[in-house]
Amino acid sequence: MSADPARSGCEQLPGRLATAAVRSIAPYVIGKPISELERELGISEVLKLASNENPLGPSPAALAAMRASLDDVWLYPDGNGHDLKTALARHHDVGMDQITLGNGSNDVLVLLAEAFLTPQTNAVISQHAFAIYALATQATGARIHVAPAHAADSPMPYGHDLDAMLALVDADTRLVFIANPNNPTGTWNSEGQLTRFLERLPDTVIVALDEAYFEYARSVDCPDGMELLRRYPNLVVLRTFSKAHALAGVRVGYAVSHPDVADVLNRVRQPFNVSMPGLAGAAASLGDARQASRAAALAAEGRVQLGEGLPALGVRCFSSAGNFVLVDVGRPAQQIHERLLRRGVIVRPVGGYGLPSCLRITFGTAEQNERLLGALAASLKDP
Ligand SMILES: Cc1ncc(COP(=O)(O)O)c(C=O)c1O
């Protein structure tokens, strides 16, 4: 055997030994990190509006709690997350035994797939849904049933069509993923649509209701999944501290479900899946009632600013209940994305979501949004 088969031109690379399901996965494409673009262009002051982060940053209470936690990081964190679960149980008026903590809500999505899917089963998702649903499903070898989304000229362009999703549920379906609101489309389903769907779903199916953008969607008819949990034992509501709570870097998310589902997820969860600063920061952030409202207020301002500024540039901008907006630039969006990068602005092209003429742009501060509009205006004019 060559010492370095990866460089020897040898055909028998060790990656072939991975499962066929895993080898079929195309890796998730992350938003370009600021440091990477700064290195590439030799510039500073890059503006990143690509990953739906909260530009206001974390609550001061969360920062203080995370700093204080550093003294103890030589110890493993509390694997049961007792303090954070206590705070969450009080916040949502649920039992601690209903909560599953994750290394970001991404972790919980993967746990759900691991716990409920096998190659003999399938998961139902919508076209243009958050990419991790398909990736987590694929890794298990389960089949993916993709329901067509609402049409571009419908009242909820590219949004989840729950009737179409229900039509794809069969005897082998174990999981349905619903993002409410969805990323990257910003679309949402109303309480009526969701309960109608849940009423008709067989009890052999778990519903992962992903509410990563919940805090941003309070001014539209986007339901609070926590209020539906008592009526629907197969419902799992996911939330994250990465968005409105501005703690994306420490990776904390969670699910609230029937205790029986939480018990199952706990069996596949890694014992110390949430870090000590993450546990401390999340609990403190939850205690700062103004954190979420500040984030939502900034997003509402961004929605108005870009809602006026983008159409003025001749691009189509869709309604969004998140802290971001989907924009159709009417030509291959990758080209505009690259031009924006040269101007030091990172947004997200969403060709991988089947929307090749669209960009997803996170709402920034007023100043950042203004810079984005200027850079986009120039990028659209480039020869
Ligand atoms: C709809 C949706 N769900 C879940 C996540 C995962 O977030 P995290 O793992 O940071 O909690 C994201 C992140 O962008 C998202 O957009």
Side-chain angles (χ1 to χ4, degrees), residues 38-358:
E38 288 185 342
R39 262 196 320 274
E40 282 172 13
L41 297 185
I43 59 169
S44 56
E45 305 204 347
V46 161
L47 170 61
K48 182 180 177 221
L49 299 174
S51 299
N52 303 341
E53 292 140 339
N54 171 3
L56 296 178
S59 151
L63 285 173
M66 289 190 288
R67 286 196 184 103
S69 78
L70 294 182
D71 285 344
D72 293 328
V73 292
W74 58 280
L75 291 165
Y76 280 99
D78 173 5
N80 291 322
H82 179 271
D83 293 351
L84 178 55
K85 279 192 186 172
T86 305
L88 286 168
R90 198 175 305 130
H91 187 76
H92 292 301
D93 191 20
V94 296
M96 281 170 73
D97 60 353
Q98 292 183 258
I99 300 169
T100 306
L101 299 180
N103 194 252
S105 54
N106 200 321
D107 187 23
V108 191
L109 290 166
V110 172
L111 296 180
L112 282 163
E114 283 178 358
F116 290 99
L117 297 176
T118 64
Q120 290 72 42
T121 62
N122 68 68
V124 173
I125 65 174
S126 171
Q127 187 186 14
H128 314 308
F130 181 51
I132 297 297
Y133 309 152
L135 292 180
T137 301
Q138 249 178 308
T140 67
R143 275 160 293 125
I144 306 171
H145 290 184
V146 183
H150 288 303
D153 57 358
S154 74
M156 193 58 81
Y158 303 131
H160 290 16
D161 177 344
L162 297 186
D163 290 335
M165 291 178 75
L166 189 68
L168 292 186
V169 170
D170 63 24
D172 297 328
T173 304
R174 290 291 167 274
L175 256 180
V176 176
F177 291 98
I178 298 174
N180 209 29
N182 182 43
N183 165 21
T185 57
T187 49
W188 65 97
N189 291 99
S190 67
E191 174 146 11
Q193 288 168 347
L194 188 62
T195 51
R196 197 176 119 83
F197 173 84
L198 292 169
E199 289 295 340
R200 294 188 294 161
L201 200 66
D203 69 0
T204 46
V205 182
I206 297 288
V207 177
L209 182 65
D210 181 352
E211 297 188 334
Y213 300 96
F214 173 81
E215 295 87 347
Y216 297 106
R218 301 335 308 138
S219 57
V220 296
D221 176 22
C222 184
D224 178 349
M226 299 290 175
E227 289 174 5
L228 303 174
L229 280 168
R230 281 198 185 87
R231 273 154 64 195
Y232 304 103
N234 289 16
L235 183 62
V236 181
V237 179
L238 291 102
R239 298 271 179 96
T240 182
F241 284 92
S242 299
K243 308 298 177 185
H245 287 277
L247 293 173
V250 287
R251 317 294 305 120
V252 193
Y254 60 101
V256 183
S257 64
H258 190 284
D260 210 38
V261 172
D263 175 52
V264 165
L265 296 180
N266 202 36
R267 297 175 197 211
V268 278
R269 184 181 67 84
Q270 288 178 39
F272 304 108
N273 62 337
V274 185
S275 72
M276 194 180 280
L279 290 170
S285 191
L286 206 62
D288 179 351
R290 292 180 53 223
Q291 174 65 19
S293 54
R294 276 192 299 250
L298 185 79
E301 286 166 22
R303 210 171 275 145
V304 172
Q305 190 180 357
L306 294 193
E308 289 168 3
L310 289 167
L313 301 180
V315 296
R316 181 175 177 196
C317 161
F318 296 90
S319 303
S320 170
N323 63 337
F324 58 88
V325 63
L326 186 73
V327 183
D328 191 335
V329 293
R331 62 179 105 169
Q334 187 61 31
Q335 178 195 51
I336 302 298
H337 169 237
E338 280 159 21
R339 292 176 183 178
L340 283 169
L341 285 180
R342 289 201 289 275
R343 292 179 165 88
V345 178
I346 313 175
V347 298
R348 191 64 162 272
V350 287
Y353 282 91
L355 298 165
S357 61
C358 293

Side-chain angles (χ1 to χ4, degrees), residues 43-47 343-345 366-376:
I43 59 169
S44 56
E45 305 204 347
V46 161
L47 170 61
R343 292 179 165 88
V345 178
E367 207 178 31
Q368 292 171 337
N369 295 336
E370 209 43 57
R371 178 168 165 201
L372 174 272
L373 289 170
L376 184 58

